[in-house]
Amino acid sequence: MSFVAIDFETADRSLDSACAVALVRVENWQITQRNYWLIRPPREKFRFTYLHGISWEKVADQPTFQELWPSVLEFMGDASFLAAHNADFDRSVLHACCRAAQIPLPRMRFRCTAKLARRVLKIYPTNLPAVCARLGIPLDHHDARSDAEACARIMIAARRRTHRELPIRVRPDPMTRIVQREFPGW
């Protein structure tokens, strides 16, 4: 079993404005690789520098999403799924960036660690700082590297607490028509 935890930071409210992405690869429930890239978004205006500390000056000479995509795709490799905290956001950013760059959408399923925390671990509230505090996971919130690693560690903690492999159900995703695998309770 392998998966990749992913976290995007965006420059503005538009989902195609990714300015950073972090990926953490987990194989056999152990973190094996980490990677982080700054991304030059399509616009120079940054609205969220106060959250993540990334500004246009830091990304002006960085690759665009389209230029970076082959490296991201290679890192994802043959992972079974992508994990993200509040996965709808990261999935939407990924899809918006792919559409803007005219790149085919990746055929990777997403698992949401916020839902996992609520339904399997019974943690409330399920925002990333609260879940990390309950599980004793270090977090520098809104640093994509820290958020992606925390997401990976939440998945690992959930598996350890359930003491078993989580069975998988299959269902079609109505938005992408891609088959999604669901773990019970997610």
Side-chain angles (χ1 to χ4, degrees):
M1 164 68 83
S2 68
F3 70 89
V4 172
I6 186 169
D7 187 75
F8 281 102
E9 297 299 330
T10 57
D12 59 39
R13 293 192 185 277
S14 296
L15 293 172
D16 69 345
S17 71
C19 60
V21 63
L23 302 172
V24 175
R25 187 168 184 85
V26 176
E27 296 174 1
N28 298 316
W29 302 102
Q30 299 291 320
I31 293 174
T32 58
Q33 290 180 283
R34 298 167 180 85
N35 217 329
Y36 171 78
W37 295 276
L38 290 174
I39 305 167
R40 186 175 70 244
R43 294 165 296 283
E44 292 183 25
K45 184 169 171 70
F46 272 65
R47 182 179 181 103
F48 299 125
T49 299
Y50 73 96
L51 278 176
H52 48 57
I54 302 168
S55 64
W56 177 256
E57 293 73 28
K58 291 183 179 180
V59 299
D61 295 329
Q62 298 299 315
T64 63
F65 182 83
Q66 184 176 33
E67 294 165 340
L68 184 62
W69 181 244
S71 298
V72 171
L73 198 56
E74 181 182 347
F75 188 94
M76 290 178 185
D78 62 350
S80 300
F81 61 91
L82 295 175
H85 203 77
N86 294 316
D88 288 345
F89 172 76
D90 293 282
R91 179 187 314 118
S92 296
V93 171
L94 178 59
H95 288 186
C97 288
C98 284
R99 279 192 298 276
Q102 299 181 336
I103 296 168
L105 294 177
R107 294 189 169 271
M108 304 233 16
R109 298 169 299 279
F110 271 80
R111 297 284 57 97
C112 181
T113 54
K115 289 179 183 176
L116 172 71
R118 180 174 40 258
R119 295 181 182 160
V120 175
L121 299 174
K122 307 297 186 206
I123 296 174
Y124 305 93
T126 57
N127 62 65
L128 191 55
V131 174
C132 288
R134 283 281 304 276
L135 296 175
I137 297 171
L139 179 68
D140 181 7
H141 196 32
H142 295 297
D143 177 316
R145 293 166 288 213
S146 183
D147 291 357
E149 177 133 355
C151 177
R153 292 186 182 284
I154 293 167
M155 291 289 299
I156 293 166
R159 180 182 182 269
R160 286 186 180 139
R161 286 210 180 164
T162 60
H163 300 306
R164 60 184 167 85
E165 287 297 324
L166 299 169
I168 298 174
R169 286 192 312 254
V170 177
R171 72 171 175 84
D173 181 327
M175 293 200 43
T176 63
R177 294 183 176 80
I178 296 171
V179 171
Q180 297 279 324
R181 292 182 179 177
E182 283 193 353
F183 298 103
W186 295 26

